Amino acid sequence: MGAVTLRVGNLDAMIAYYRDIVTLERQSHDGPVAVLGRGQTPLVLLQHAPELKAAEARSAGLYHTAILFDTQADLAAAVYSIGTKAPGTFTGSADHLVSQAFYFTDPEGNGIELYWDRDRTLWSWAPGQVEMASLYLDPNAFISEHMSAEPSEGHAIVGHIHLSVGDVASAREFYVNRLGFAATANFGPSALFVSAGGYHHHMAMNTWESSGSGKRRLALGLGEVSIIVPSTDDVSALGERMAHYRVDTTHDGQTLAFEDPWANRIRVSAADAPTV
């Protein structure tokens, strides 16, 4: 997964939250667009759009952006930073068996998950399904156990993107049957988890706060989901696949863009694409 794009009303406040509180670095700031990340990896792209209004209640869109940390020490440092500087943005934590996760909401209502993965050898799989749960995880105990005295500039990536959608059946049809992800877990009719390459999930879709919602109107919040595939050949092959399913796309030879059934914009690019 590539950097998530968020349309924001107060760019300065959102930069401050992700930089000073979530502990990301401001990598660039060019006019109305700021990019924050870790090291050379962009994680969140903030696009100033003060003319837009907040999304309607219970609409489709972003449920959360999930940032995956390399180590528990790096995760603990980020959780400690938010807990001490913006404790009111903390919304919960859980041990998911495959991972340990902490949840927050940024100043404009966008969900954030900060998490660490257990080694893949410790994940449990039934046929086609990874075992996940939501067990109690004490944030204070986690910080006490893993907080390092030495400051770290550890690596982090966008591990997955979780969307709010109108119904799971349509999400499965689009993301599994058309886009080509493998389904890795179901939570009844209300949530679907999908991935590529045997990961527990690169994307998830749920109806917990958005059941029955239709296409999104242009609003603050999610601007774009970025997916990175190995090669330009993969991008071209996906373009042919989407054409087969009559999904409207734009394709410039390196990047393929389209919308899901709820007007969540998806952009697929190649890791081997030449840089300008």
Side-chain angles (χ1 to χ4, degrees), residues 37-224:
R38 280 284 184 105
Q40 300 300 310
T41 304
L43 301 174
V44 179
L45 190 155
L46 303 176
Q47 186 177 65
H48 196 206
E51 73 282 3
L52 298 180
K53 297 180 180 179
E56 297 173 352
R58 305 193 65 80
S59 63
L62 182 69
Y63 190 70
H64 62 235
T65 299
I67 298 174
L68 172 62
F69 288 80
D70 268 358
T71 69
Q72 289 168 300
D74 291 335
L75 174 57
V79 173
Y80 177 80
S81 175
I82 303 176
T84 54
K85 298 173 184 175
T89 66
F90 174 73
T91 58
S93 57
D95 187 322
H96 294 308
L97 302 180
V98 295
S99 63
Q100 294 175 306
F102 300 86
Y103 298 93
F104 307 89
T105 301
D106 75 20
E108 296 195 3
N110 301 293
I112 307 166
E113 175 184 342
L114 306 182
Y115 75 112
W116 168 81
D117 273 339
R118 290 190 170 89
D119 190 273
R120 289 191 182 210
T121 60
L122 300 176
W123 302 355
S124 179
W125 290 82
Q129 297 277 295
V130 65
E131 184 181 0
M132 292 191 290
S134 290
L135 307 179
Y136 176 69
L137 177 59
D138 185 331
N140 293 315
F142 181 88
I143 291 169
S144 297
E145 181 177 358
H146 299 292
M147 188 78 169
S148 172
E150 296 296 325
S152 171
E153 296 181 359
H155 187 57
I157 62 172
V158 176
H160 63 269
I161 297 292
H162 198 142
L163 299 177
S164 295
V165 300
D167 70 280
V168 167
S170 297
R172 177 182 290 273
E173 169 62 25
F174 186 84
Y175 284 98
V176 176
N177 297 349
R178 300 189 180 193
L179 188 49
F181 278 114
T184 57
N186 279 295
F187 285 83
S190 64
L192 171 69
F193 297 77
V194 304
S195 83
Y199 191 54
H200 53 73
H201 66 294
H202 286 109
M203 295 193 72
M205 307 91 204
N206 76 68
T207 61
W208 300 328
E209 300 173 1
S210 56
S211 180
S213 62
K215 287 192 174 185
R216 303 168 57 205
R217 64 173 177 84
L218 187 61
L220 295 174
L222 180 64
E224 187 174 79

